[in-house]
Amino acid sequence: MAAEGETSSESLVLSGMHDHYGGVIVHINDNDPMDPATFLSLLTSSIAHWKLQGKKGVWIKLPIERVNLVEVAVKEGFWYHHAEPMYLMLVYWIPQSPHTLPSNATHRVGIGAFVLNPNTRQVLAVQEKSGVLQGTGVWKFPTGVVDEGEDICVAAVREVKEETGIDSEFVEVLAFRQSHKSFFEKSDLFFVCMMRPLSFDIQKQEHEIEAAQWIPFDEYAAQPFVQNNELLKYISDICKTKIDGQYSGFSPVLASSFYDQQASYVYLNNSSTAPKRDGGV
Amino acid sequence: MAAEGETSSESLVLSGMHDHYGGVIVHINDNDPMDPATFLSLLTSSIAHWKLQGKKGVWIKLPIERVNLVEVAVKEGFWYHHAEPMYLMLVYWIPQSPHTLPSNATHRVGIGAFVLNPNTRQVLAVQEKSGVLQGTGVWKFPTGVVDEGEDICVAAVREVKEETGIDSEFVEVLAFRQSHKSFFEKSDLFFVCMMRPLSFDIQKQEHEIEAAQWIPFDEYAAQPFVQNNELLKYISDICKTKIDGQYSGFSPVLASSFYDQQASYVYLNNSSTAPKRDGGV
């Protein structure tokens, strides 16, 4: 089949966007019914066309409604790149050389919030309704998962609000941990965030939280669960040093980059010994 | 079809592992050919069986060789959770309540390596053969992507070695940046890592690197590309403050956790003002 034209829906070539790396990105419309035979015909003519154009990588985003086309693409040499609940991203590499396609996301990101009332030296603590600590009476920091596209400093404020009803302000990242195989083969980055409370009346989330309370920091730290857990003992020691004014974490500053369309947060040690910035270029 | 037995390959129920959250994890064998009709029959009887058992989430890992079974699963109510080149992970939620399945990985992780020769105040710099800086003569730090399951401090040593042939030792994370939509909808965490060189004879990687050289740090920092880029200017200022001995980043310590089978790295400010640790529980 000849490969000609690329503009109308009647053409013999799938329409796609072209990226800066010699790639073609095709979004199959979930409202556009297509039978596997038609798709196979379009796919083979499109690949021939893109090959003549010197294209390298081909990306096809198939909505889950078009699951009937997955097998056709795989049989033509496509493989899985990544998937989200509503779509599957397939890739194909035209050249004979090994592919240089970017890898998939590898990490989930979580936060733990150290919300300190500096006047009372109390920390905001919760007991969870489910999970391994259910029913143990252990007090822990509010924790949660950073959503796709969400800033760490925004996620920490959101999670504290959701779990306890407390408004808070992000201060800095005190430490972070990287762990592996936390979820199938994926890795995990967990950021311990220092927060300044802006309100004090707790309204706990009913679904996940068994109890939420301001408790003396020393009482939190003295729990056997903290003392006997190497990681939590480190974090607790850092928090204590921070309370005593002798610890500097990383605080966020907005910076734009040559590579990006918009500014993003850089987390750095902004204490007295760090470089002074005038706030922008 | 009745759902009975779960032990032999002749049984009417797919065999799976049971997790601690009321879930069942089924790995379909890529050497075990199965036609869609057989799979459908097994799947419906299995779900009925698991429902009686009070199970909640059902995970099915389908190797790409079994792509012929994807459509059957989706038509039965499964959706995509994540995918890697060789498999697709499908999920299903049995209860009527909203699902509480964990989210997919959201971030890619990268490193940039600040390799400083403290005796000469020279920094290891490279020019890349491809990408947006190709042919511009811009000197930059070696950079790279952290592999799945790889520690940030290990990835930095590996990337420096791969790109320049230089052996180095990880010192600390000086700063990190979180950016969004860096790759389709996924986010990106980029860690700037201070490295101590252990060798000095450069052997550049031919495929990706146009040039690699020790250059005076001030020459690196003075480049318009650095000075006019807010992000790189921040990083450059941090590096300069570090050279002058007035900056503390986060250094890695190994810590085990209640939740993990093995120790993982916690990155924290371990400078003189940080808590002193005796190295373990």
Side-chain angles (χ1 to χ4, degrees):
Chain A
M1 183 178 286
E4 290 173 3
E6 200 172 343
T7 49
S8 80
S9 58
E10 288 80 41
S11 76
L12 301 174
V13 172
L14 292 162
S15 66
M17 295 179 296
H18 299 259
D19 67 22
H20 299 299
Y21 303 93
V24 185
I25 304 166
V26 177
H27 289 220
I28 302 292
N29 194 322
D30 56 349
N31 298 319
D32 185 23
M34 198 189 295
D35 64 274
T38 305
F39 181 62
L40 173 61
S41 165
L42 271 169
L43 196 58
T44 52
S45 60
S46 300
I47 289 173
H49 177 69
W50 295 322
K51 193 171 184 173
L52 285 173
Q53 286 189 325
K55 294 293 173 187
K56 295 175 179 175
V58 179
W59 303 83
I60 295 185
K61 185 176 177 177
L62 274 184
I64 197 165
E65 291 81 2
R66 290 284 75 76
V67 63
N68 60 321
L69 308 181
V70 177
E71 188 175 358
V72 167
V74 169
K75 285 190 171 164
E76 283 304 296
F78 280 76
W79 66 93
Y80 307 142
H81 188 274
H82 66 276
E84 293 295 331
M86 300 312 291
Y87 73 87
L88 176 61
M89 185 69 85
L90 293 145
V91 282
Y92 181 80
W93 187 248
I94 294 176
Q96 293 300 310
S97 58
H99 82 75
T100 57
L101 298 164
S103 63
N104 189 5
T106 49
H107 286 64
R108 290 197 303 164
V109 178
I111 61 91
F114 172 48
V115 191
L116 179 77
N117 181 338
N119 301 320
T120 62
R121 218 181 139 102
Q122 285 180 313
V123 63
L124 185 60
V126 299
Q127 294 180 2
E128 290 177 341
K129 277 196 175 169
S130 61
V132 286
L133 295 181
Q134 180 187 351
T136 60
V138 166
W139 290 107
K140 60 187 284 297
F141 293 172
T143 55
V145 174
V146 177
D147 291 334
E148 189 168 87
E150 186 179 36
D151 283 311
I152 291 163
C153 53
V154 171
V157 170
R158 176 183 55 74
E159 285 288 348
V160 169
K161 180 72 176 177
E162 282 179 9
E163 294 197 352
T164 69
I166 296 295
D167 294 307
S168 65
E169 188 176 55
F170 187 87
V171 181
E172 59 186 24
V173 168
L174 295 178
F176 64 87
R177 182 186 63 141
Q178 186 189 25
S179 57
H180 302 300
K181 302 207 173 188
S182 66
F183 175 66
F184 296 110
E185 295 302 309
K186 297 297 179 179
S187 299
D188 195 273
L189 274 164
F190 180 80
F191 293 85
V192 181
C193 303
M194 172 96 185
M195 315 291 291
R196 187 179 296 122
L198 300 175
S199 70
F200 297 91
D201 291 336
I202 291 172
Q203 286 192 299
K204 77 179 178 73
Q205 203 251 44
E206 288 304 321
H207 189 60
E208 296 173 14
I209 303 299
E210 181 65 37
Q213 204 171 294
W214 292 101
I215 64 172
F217 176 78
D218 292 341
E219 188 180 310
Y220 163 81
Q223 296 178 104
F225 177 71
V226 173
Q227 289 296 317
N228 297 333
N229 182 318
E230 201 174 8
L231 172 67
L232 292 183
K233 182 72 165 64
Y234 266 112
I235 293 173
S236 164
D237 285 355
I238 289 169
C239 292
K240 185 169 185 320
T241 317
K242 183 72 195 176
I243 292 174
D244 297 339
Q246 297 178 302
Y247 188 89
S248 298
F250 286 174
S251 48
V253 292
L254 276 173
S256 61
S257 163
F258 170 77
Y259 298 99
D260 295 320
Q261 298 298 322
Q262 55 192 33
S264 46
Y265 281 109
V266 183
Y267 296 76
L268 51 82
N269 186 338
N270 213 5
S271 67
S272 58
T273 55
K276 289 289 181 290
R277 297 282 307 172
D278 60 7
V281 169
Chain B
M1 181 179 283
E4 293 173 358
E6 200 171 345
T7 50
S8 81
S9 59
E10 288 81 40
S11 76
L12 300 175
V13 172
L14 291 161
S15 65
M17 294 179 297
H18 300 261
D19 68 22
H20 298 300
Y21 303 93
V24 184
I25 305 165
V26 177
H27 288 220
I28 303 292
N29 194 322
D30 57 349
N31 297 319
D32 184 24
M34 198 189 297
D35 64 275
T38 306
F39 181 62
L40 174 60
S41 164
L42 270 169
L43 196 56
T44 51
S45 60
S46 301
I47 288 173
H49 177 70
W50 294 322
K51 192 170 184 175
L52 286 174
Q53 287 189 325
K55 294 293 173 187
K56 296 176 177 173
V58 179
W59 303 84
I60 296 185
K61 185 176 178 177
L62 275 184
I64 197 165
E65 291 82 1
R66 291 284 75 77
V67 65
N68 60 321
L69 308 181
V70 176
E71 189 176 358
V72 168
V74 169
K75 287 190 170 164
E76 285 302 296
F78 281 76
W79 67 91
Y80 306 143
H81 187 273
H82 66 277
E84 294 295 329
M86 300 311 291
Y87 73 86
L88 176 61
M89 184 69 84
L90 293 145
V91 282
Y92 181 80
W93 186 248
I94 294 176
Q96 293 299 311
S97 58
H99 83 74
T100 57
L101 297 164
S103 62
N104 191 4
T106 49
H107 285 64
R108 290 196 302 165
V109 178
I111 61 94
F114 172 48
V115 191
L116 180 77
N117 182 339
N119 300 319
T120 62
R121 218 179 138 102
Q122 284 179 316
V123 62
L124 185 61
V126 300
Q127 293 180 2
E128 290 178 340
K129 277 197 174 169
S130 60
V132 286
L133 295 181
Q134 180 187 352
T136 60
V138 166
W139 289 107
K140 58 186 284 296
F141 293 172
T143 54
V145 174
V146 177
D147 291 334
E148 189 168 87
E150 186 180 37
D151 284 309
I152 291 163
C153 53
V154 172
V157 170
R158 176 183 54 74
E159 284 289 348
V160 170
K161 180 71 177 178
E162 281 179 10
E163 292 197 354
T164 68
I166 296 295
D167 296 306
S168 64
E169 187 176 55
F170 186 87
V171 181
E172 60 185 25
V173 169
L174 295 178
F176 63 88
R177 182 185 65 139
Q178 186 189 24
S179 56
H180 302 299
K181 302 207 175 190
S182 64
F183 174 66
F184 297 108
E185 295 302 309
K186 298 297 179 176
S187 300
D188 195 272
L189 274 163
F190 181 80
F191 293 84
V192 181
C193 303
M194 170 95 186
M195 314 293 290
R196 187 179 295 122
L198 301 175
S199 71
F200 299 90
D201 290 338
I202 291 172
Q203 285 194 298
K204 78 178 177 73
Q205 205 251 44
E206 289 304 322
H207 188 61
E208 297 171 16
I209 304 299
E210 182 65 36
Q213 205 171 293
W214 292 101
I215 65 171
F217 176 78
D218 292 341
E219 189 180 309
Y220 163 82
Q223 297 179 102
F225 176 73
V226 174
Q227 289 297 315
N228 298 333
N229 182 318
E230 200 174 9
L231 172 68
L232 292 183
K233 182 74 164 65
Y234 266 113
I235 293 173
S236 164
D237 285 354
I238 289 170
C239 292
K240 184 168 186 322
T241 317
K242 183 72 196 177
I243 291 174
D244 297 338
Q246 296 177 303
Y247 188 89
S248 296
F250 286 174
S251 48
V253 292
L254 276 173
S256 60
S257 161
F258 171 76
Y259 298 98
D260 296 319
Q261 299 297 322
Q262 55 192 34
S264 47
Y265 282 109
V266 183
Y267 295 77
L268 51 83
N269 185 339
N270 213 5
S271 68
S272 57
T273 55
K276 290 289 182 288
R277 296 286 306 174
D278 59 8
V281 170

